[in-house]
Amino acid sequence: MRTGQQNTPPASDNSPDAAAEQRGARRAVTLFPLLVLLAGALGLLSPGSFTGGAEAVPYLLGVVMFCMGLTMTMPDFRSVVRRPWAVALGLAAQYLVMPGLGWLVAQGLGLSPQLAAGLILVGCSPGGTASNVVTYLARGDVALSVSVTSVSTFVAPLLTPPLTLFLAGEFLPVDTGSMVGDIVKTVLLPVLGGLLVRLLAGRAVERALPALPWLSTATIAVIVTIVVAGSAGTIKSAAALVFLAVVLHNGLGLALGYAVGRLSRLGEPAGRALAFEVGMQNSGLAASLAAAHFSPLAALPAAVFSVWHNVSGALAAAWFAHRDRSATARSTSPESTGAGRPADSGPADPGPAAADGADGPEPAAGPRTAD
């Protein structure tokens, strides 16, 4: 998913527009994993119906990335110029933390070569655009989130193949040259095409923006159906282990991404943005590359990740929002403000909650497209 008008927050969290945006974002984050889960169940129950569908996966991914390009505007890249250190840090964390975690989890759980390579490929992929709307829901730094997602997508042809070779080469052969070509064709060119169309036909694209999230979501659901159908025969025996691997990979990525942002003193909003940028991956790209270069079974971790990272991201965003509300309630309570205290009792102690409440940014505008 993407968010629009990242640098223009709504006037008030209690305004009707802000409430509508929050409801729309929550609906998208809730319905997307449910739809993908249903798509996976369809592929598992009727795998024969999707025989030969793997050939369509790269083209379907191109549709998703074209939609991503349509939602981009030049202001999305302002953070790269204004805060190059923060964007560079997010990019480094994206391509160091998740690939390393993928290798560690695969080794620790003793995954088969196919599953290990698939999980590592998920980690070596760029950030998923669903991170943008989850950052919005968590009251994080949406402009930073969009910038890191965009930059990590554009550099994917340069970083994803060599990282996959370095970490997954011990499990399966990796043709980096062919992988670079596939990423350029299915990711870079469609994104650039969408961005160009947005620049040339901005008004027409603006009218189509509400439909883009659902087009992207439906396309990713078809990708998941095809991937699951291709490995339906082995899913039952490997499903529990793959789910555990994905939960560990994603959960550790969220935690370490948040830690990188906070330890770098970028502030609480940026820490939340980096948590989701690091922990949420472009699983559609990972599934496409795994099916094309390894096997349908290797694409299984990406299919599971596609569902789970949206669930975990929504839960983490809800926890952050709840923490902000609790901090605000404590800072405005009579005990905190000094209301009702005797005149000679001295000034009220603002307490730590008041300081914590100052960290939360106003959310930017709502979601635009889906990963």
Side-chain angles (χ1 to χ4, degrees), residues 268-347:
E268 175 68 16
R272 297 180 185 186
L274 292 187
F276 299 120
E277 284 307 305
V278 173
M280 301 181 71
Q281 301 294 87
N282 189 334
S283 48
L285 172 60
S288 174
L289 293 177
H293 293 271
F294 300 141
S295 69
L297 180 60
L300 182 57
V304 176
F305 202 100
S306 182
V307 179
W308 176 251
H309 79 158
N310 286 279
V311 174
S312 66
L315 291 174
W319 180 79
F320 278 127
H322 173 74
R323 194 177 74 171
D324 286 345
R325 288 192 297 269
S326 298
T328 300
R330 290 195 301 269
S331 65
T332 57
S333 65
E335 293 80 3
S336 168
T337 60
R341 293 167 54 125
D344 59 352
S345 60

Side-chain angles (χ1 to χ4, degrees), residues 34-364:
L34 290 177
L35 180 60
V36 173
L37 186 61
L38 290 175
L42 178 62
L44 185 63
L45 295 174
S46 182
S49 302
F50 305 95
T51 302
E55 296 179 359
V57 169
Y59 300 99
L60 293 170
L61 178 63
V63 172
V64 176
M65 303 315 296
F66 180 74
C67 290
M68 176 183 177
L70 287 176
T71 67
M72 288 183 173
T73 60
M74 297 314 295
D76 286 345
F77 299 94
R78 287 176 182 168
S79 256
V80 180
V81 178
R82 288 202 308 258
R83 293 184 295 172
W85 157 246
V87 176
L89 181 66
L91 188 65
Q94 169 67 241
Y95 281 108
L96 290 175
V97 172
M98 288 303 278
L101 284 176
W103 185 86
L104 288 173
V105 172
Q107 292 282 5
L109 295 180
L111 298 182
S112 69
Q114 299 284 347
L115 294 177
L119 186 69
I120 291 171
L121 184 53
V122 171
C124 296
S125 298
T129 53
S131 61
N132 303 155
V133 73
V134 175
T135 298
Y136 163 73
L137 288 175
R139 298 178 58 85
D141 190 332
V142 181
L144 176 61
S145 175
V146 171
S147 295
V148 174
T149 298
S150 302
V151 174
S152 70
T153 299
F154 281 118
V155 302
L158 300 176
L159 296 180
T160 297
L163 282 171
T164 305
L165 173 63
F166 178 69
L167 294 171
E170 65 179 275
F171 298 103
L172 292 175
V174 179
D175 185 346
T176 56
S178 177
M179 190 175 289
V180 168
D182 284 349
I183 296 175
V184 169
K185 289 185 293 185
T186 62
V187 175
L188 191 57
L189 292 180
V191 169
L192 290 175
L195 181 58
L196 180 61
V197 171
R198 179 68 181 270
L199 291 174
L200 297 177
R203 291 185 178 179
V205 173
E206 288 286 345
R207 290 194 292 269
L209 285 178
L212 294 183
W214 307 110
L215 175 59
S216 297
T217 297
T219 306
I220 292 174
V222 174
I223 293 174
V224 171
T225 302
I226 295 171
V227 168
V228 171
S231 55
T234 56
I235 282 180
K236 292 182 179 179
S237 61
L241 186 60
V242 171
F243 182 72
L244 175 60
V246 166
V247 170
L248 289 174
H249 194 193
N250 168 248
L252 291 172
L254 292 172
L256 290 178
Y258 180 74
V260 167
R262 298 299 282 139
L263 292 175
S264 302
R265 300 179 181 271
L266 293 177
E268 175 68 16
R272 297 180 185 186
L274 292 187
F276 299 120
E277 284 307 305
V278 173
M280 301 181 71
Q281 301 294 87
N282 189 334
S283 48
L285 172 60
S288 174
L289 293 177
H293 293 271
F294 300 141
S295 69
L297 180 60
L300 182 57
V304 176
F305 202 100
S306 182
V307 179
W308 176 251
H309 79 158
N310 286 279
V311 174
S312 66
L315 291 174
W319 180 79
F320 278 127
H322 173 74
R323 194 177 74 171
D324 286 345
R325 288 192 297 269
S326 298
T328 300
R330 290 195 301 269
S331 65
T332 57
S333 65
E335 293 80 3
S336 168
T337 60
R341 293 167 54 125
D344 59 352
S345 60
D349 180 7
D356 292 341
D359 283 337
E362 294 184 47

